[in-house]
Each structure stands twice: as C-alpha cells, then as structure tokens.
C-alpha cells in the first residue's frame, strides 16, 4: 500500500454509493491528492454518474465488482440495510492489501470482516454532514486487521473534510450520538434562538442571521482560544445581569439534562440498529461460511 502523505502515487479509490456522504469523501480525496483518474464511484442511475463525472472528472459505473477490482481503498457509503448484500457481491474482488472504509452508521468493523476475505483491513468512520462544506468531524477506528498505516491513510483521505480524530471502536456509538447527530442539535438550537428573536420583535430574517452568526462565532472562539466553555460562559455572565437571568431559566427548564437524555437515546438507538442489521448470533462453534451465514 502507498500512503499519499509520503508519495505522489496513491492507491486507486473506489467509492461504493455516491450519495451525499459518498460524494463528500470523493471530493475530500481529490482535495487530498487523489487524481480523478485514480477514482471511480458507483451509482444506481446513469444520470447521477454523468453529474459526478462533470463535477469531479471521475469515472463512474453501475458495476460494484468492476469498481472494486484493483482498488487499493474501497469506501462503503450505501445505506446500512444494503451493506450485507453489497459485501456479498464484491467480496471476491477485494484484493490483498485493500483497505475497506465504512462510513455507514452503526455497523462495527467485525460486520465487514466476517463478510470479506480473511485479513482485510477495515476502518470505520463516523462522519457528519458539515463535512460537505469542509467543516465536518470524522472519527476513525481501525478493525482487527488494520494497522497504523491503514488508519493514517484513511485520515489522509478525510483530511480535507474537516477535523479527523482517532477513537477506540467501542466509543463510536458515543461519537455518533455527539458529533454524528450533533449538527441536528445545533440546527435545533439555532431555530429556537431565531424563533425567540421573532417573539421579541425582530424580523425572521434578522433573527436567523443573528442566531446563526452567534453560534458560529461562539464555536470559533472556543476552538481558537482553547478555553473551557464553562469559563467562557462565566466571562459573559455579569452578576445580576441579563445573561445570568437567561441561563437560570435554561437550568430551570432542564436543558442540560435534556441534552444528556438526547445523546443517550441516540447512542442506544445506534446500538439497536446495529444489532438488528447484524441479525442473530452465530451458532456456538460456527466458523467460516457457517458463521457468516448466521449473520445474514
């Protein structure tokens, strides 16, 4: 395998499923040094293929096996319910040394390892939607056969999409609840702030502009200063002032506890969905194809 961080030569990249997240990874790869000639994406509709070719200059195909054959990196970006069938389809085309990257919510690396050739390196990624504008967060975890170089290659692949962090795979459900679903929570807060601004007499356009800029500015301030949010909050909370009065109402409304409950619910749902997709456990002592069949 060749690491693009140390060479101008990069492994051929196949992106299976060129929806929003698949295209985001594809665009990030191009920004990180992959040439369009080294990238192929699979699509269900020819029109989508034409769109991607025009926008990125990459090859497209409706044949997953054709895309995987000879690829050094294979990104799986289909819906969770379609992953098992896709792996069955392409497993025979996955070559030695290929790194398989999952950007599918919930599914562990073991799900892939059981369905791919023995020793295949699998790296699990939990991205989020701001990756589309280069401001995302992606958490990466290597499977049992993935070494440091494999994970580093995936980090390089995703570098242009925003922040990339390594986490233990056991923490991926928590990451999904926090940063994976997190943009929706922020959109919710911005919408609530804007609605409150309208209630106080601002125009809807002005209220939304102020709310969006305020959240962006506050997040940027924390990122650039490294200050703990509790300290930053204290700096703008004068004793007996307007901010303290507002924060007191938020505490009385149980906002902090609601966020804790929300993240726990998201994490638990991720675990449930993964268990449902994996199917019943393999029979005791089952190995090889027998064990894989029990998972389908």
């Amino acid at each position: 395998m060749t690491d693009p961080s140390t060479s101008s030569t990069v492994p051929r990249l196949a992106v299976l499923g060129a929806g929003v997240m698949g295209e985001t990874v594809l665009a990030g790869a191009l920004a990180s040094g992959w040439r369009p000639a080294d990238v192929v994406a699979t699509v269900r509709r020819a029109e989508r293929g034409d769109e991607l070719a025009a926008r990125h200059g990459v090859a497209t195909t409706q044949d997953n096996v054709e895309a995987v054959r000879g690829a050094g990196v294979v990104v799986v970006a289909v819906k969770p319910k379609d992953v098992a069938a896709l792996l069955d389809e392409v497993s025979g085309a996955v070559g030695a040394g290929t790194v398989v990257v999952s950007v599918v919510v919930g599914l562990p690396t073991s799900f892939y390892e059981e369905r791919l050739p023995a020793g295949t390196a699998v790296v699990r990624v939990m991205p989020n939607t701001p990756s589309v504008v280069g401001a995302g967060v992606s958490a990466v975890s290597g499977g049992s056969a993935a070494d440091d170089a494999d994970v580093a290659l995936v980090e390089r692949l995703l570098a242009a999409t925003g922040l990339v962090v390594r986490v233990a795979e056991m923490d991926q459900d928590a990451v999904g609840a926090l940063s994976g679903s997190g943009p929706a929570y922020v959109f919710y807060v911005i919408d609530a702030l804007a609605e409150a601004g309208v209630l106080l007499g601002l125009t809807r356009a002005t209220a939304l502009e102020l709310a969006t800029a305020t959240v962006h500015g506050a997040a940027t301030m924390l990122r650039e200063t490294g200050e703990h949010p509790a300290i930053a909050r204290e700096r703008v909370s004068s004793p007996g002032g307007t901010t303290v009065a507002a924060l007191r109402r938020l505490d009385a409304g149980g906002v902090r506890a609601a966020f804790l409950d929300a993240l726990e619910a998201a994490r638990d749902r991720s675990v449930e969905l993964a268990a449902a997709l994996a199917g019943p456990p393999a029979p005791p002592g089952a190995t090889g194809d027998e064990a894989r069949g029990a998972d389908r």
Side-chain angles (χ1 to χ4, degrees):
M1 181 205 326
T2 304
D3 186 342
S5 65
T6 59
S7 172
S8 58
T9 302
V10 297
R12 183 170 174 272
L13 171 67
V15 179
L16 309 184
V20 173
M21 197 52 64
E23 184 178 3
T24 297
V25 174
L26 184 157
L30 295 176
S32 297
W34 269 260
R35 299 179 306 160
D38 295 322
V39 180
V40 61
T42 64
V43 294
R44 288 187 175 179
R45 297 177 295 104
E47 309 84 66
R48 175 60 173 164
D50 293 339
E51 183 182 314
L52 290 172
R55 183 178 301 146
H56 302 290
V58 301
T60 64
T61 179
Q62 292 176 290
D63 188 333
N64 291 312
V65 175
E66 175 190 339
V68 169
R69 190 172 288 117
V73 179
V74 175
V75 177
V76 178
V78 298
K79 294 179 180 179
K81 66 181 180 61
D82 297 327
V83 173
L86 176 65
L87 296 179
D88 285 344
E89 179 185 359
V90 305
S91 179
V94 175
T98 297
V99 178
V100 175
V101 183
S102 168
V103 294
V104 181
V105 175
L107 292 180
T109 55
S110 60
F111 185 91
Y112 294 80
E113 292 168 345
E114 291 168 358
R115 293 164 172 81
L116 293 170
T120 299
V122 180
V123 179
R124 178 178 175 182
V125 180
M126 179 69 247
N128 65 10
T129 53
S131 297
V132 173
V133 294
V137 175
S138 294
V140 300
S141 306
S144 62
D147 60 23
D148 186 73
D150 296 321
V151 179
L153 176 60
V154 176
E155 290 173 332
R156 171 68 168 154
L157 178 73
L158 298 167
T161 66
L163 175 67
V164 182
V165 298
R166 285 194 204 193
V167 300
E169 185 168 11
M170 64 182 290
D171 294 328
Q172 280 283 4
D173 290 315
V175 169
L178 178 55
S179 60
S181 298
Y185 315 149
V186 176
F187 300 150
Y188 185 96
V189 169
I190 290 174
D191 184 51
L193 288 172
E195 285 296 317
V198 171
L199 178 66
L200 296 178
L202 298 174
T203 66
R204 191 168 298 278
T206 297
L208 181 56
E209 183 178 23
L210 291 174
T212 302
T214 298
V215 170
H216 178 266
T220 301
M221 181 178 171
L222 286 180
R223 183 74 182 273
E224 293 188 357
T225 64
E227 196 169 48
H228 192 280
I231 301 299
R233 186 181 69 238
E234 289 178 2
R235 292 186 187 281
V236 295
S237 303
S238 302
T242 58
T243 304
V244 168
L247 292 172
R248 181 170 175 269
R249 288 296 182 92
L250 291 176
D251 286 341
V255 172
R256 183 180 295 268
F259 270 109
L260 293 174
D261 289 344
L263 265 69
E264 285 186 336
R267 179 206 59 197
D268 293 347
R269 183 56 177 158
S270 177
V271 173
E272 290 172 1
L273 290 173
L277 288 166
T287 58
D289 291 338
E290 182 183 358
R292 286 194 291 272
D295 284 334
R296 293 176 186 169

